[in-house]
Amino acid sequence: MDGKILSNFIANQSVHEQYGGVVPELASRAHMENIVPVVDEALKQAGVTMNELSAVAFTQAPGLIGSLLVGVQFAKSISLALDIPLISVHHMQAHVLANLIDDPKPEFPFLCLTVSGGRTQ
């Protein structure tokens, strides 16, 4: 849709609060529990049906492997079921490039620091 964000729906993972940080096994289990309801709600908010999708993208490494695998397998399933392209996206680059999706966009050159556990760049 020409770079316009149609929905930005997320699931709360408050299960980590008592530990003071992300617990990888709990994160992957939460992803498994939440992925279908989150995708359903995101499509609903966007006013789009699954059959209207022209491609599906997923983030891959680096990151918590269990959580990323949930997304990869879900995306692969949609891609195969709908016979649409599957696009892999570098996880950390996606965080940086997300700044270019909507206005206001940063002017080049710009500096971006991503800070996330062992993935600080």
Side-chain angles (χ1 to χ4, degrees):
M1 291 288 189
D2 298 322
K4 182 179 179 192
I5 297 171
L6 300 179
S7 174
N8 184 25
F9 184 75
I10 60 171
N12 183 327
Q13 290 196 18
S14 57
V15 66
H16 303 293
E17 289 174 0
Q18 65 185 354
Y19 302 103
V22 174
V23 178
E25 180 61 25
L26 295 178
S28 59
R29 289 178 188 203
H31 278 64
M32 286 174 39
E33 292 172 8
N34 292 322
I35 196 162
V36 171
V38 166
V39 170
D40 285 346
E41 183 60 27
L43 289 169
K44 181 180 172 185
Q45 286 183 9
V48 175
T49 66
M50 246 334 157
N51 290 328
E52 293 177 281
L53 300 177
S54 57
V56 62
F58 66 95
T59 56
Q60 67 176 24
L64 298 174
I65 191 66
S67 299
L68 292 173
L69 283 173
V70 172
V72 169
Q73 296 307 316
F74 191 79
K76 283 182 179 180
S77 299
I78 293 171
S79 171
L80 285 169
L82 299 176
D83 194 27
I84 56 178
L86 181 65
I87 303 165
S88 78
V89 178
H90 186 279
H91 184 196
M92 296 310 286
Q93 289 176 357
H95 281 289
V96 174
L97 297 174
N99 291 296
L100 305 177
I101 292 174
D102 211 353
D103 291 324
K105 291 178 179 60
E107 292 183 27
F108 285 91
F110 70 94
L111 178 65
C112 183
L113 170 67
T114 56
V115 180
S116 176
R119 310 287 179 242
T120 301
Q121 299 179 359

